[in-house]
Amino acid sequence: EVQEEKEALLVDLAARTVAEDRADVVILAGAPLAGLAARVADRVPVPLVDGVQAAVKQVEALISLRPRKATAGSYRRPAPKPSLGLPSSLARRISHG
């Protein structure tokens, strides 16, 4: 319901951002605003970016590049960790068993 309740306000804020801050683009971020950019694009004088749609497109692009799994750096798989009190299947998963 956020889109219906706040649509006019968001369009006004986007237009003011363009006029006052000279924005070249406006990014509508957050899942509650998904799809709103397409619906109000004709009422804002600069491109609107739908944050959810942009994220999905980035994931699609990454998948199409077929990157290999990292074995070093911050994206590598974390080292195994000991655990207590977890179900055995989850403990095996965490310990890489």
Side-chain angles (χ1 to χ4, degrees):
E1 297 174 357
V2 170
Q3 289 187 23
E4 291 78 23
E5 291 176 12
K6 305 294 184 188
E7 180 177 318
L9 176 61
L10 288 168
V11 169
D12 180 57
L13 288 172
R16 281 184 19 209
T17 299
V18 172
E20 295 172 12
D21 300 322
R22 300 170 65 191
D24 293 319
V25 65
V26 174
I27 300 170
L28 299 178
L33 300 180
L36 181 63
R39 200 166 70 231
V40 301
D42 60 330
R43 292 184 269 162
V44 178
V46 298
L48 291 176
V49 176
D50 181 317
V52 172
Q53 183 181 27
V56 169
K57 289 295 185 184
Q58 286 216 331
V59 169
E60 290 173 348
L62 182 61
I63 290 169
S64 73
L65 292 173
R66 301 179 60 134
R68 68 182 208 101
K69 290 184 178 181
T71 57
S74 59
Y75 293 113
R76 74 183 183 286
R77 185 176 185 183
K81 297 177 184 165
S83 59
L84 296 171
L86 294 176
S88 59
S89 59
L90 181 56
R92 271 193 313 277
R93 181 81 167 145
I94 292 172
S95 70
H96 302 190

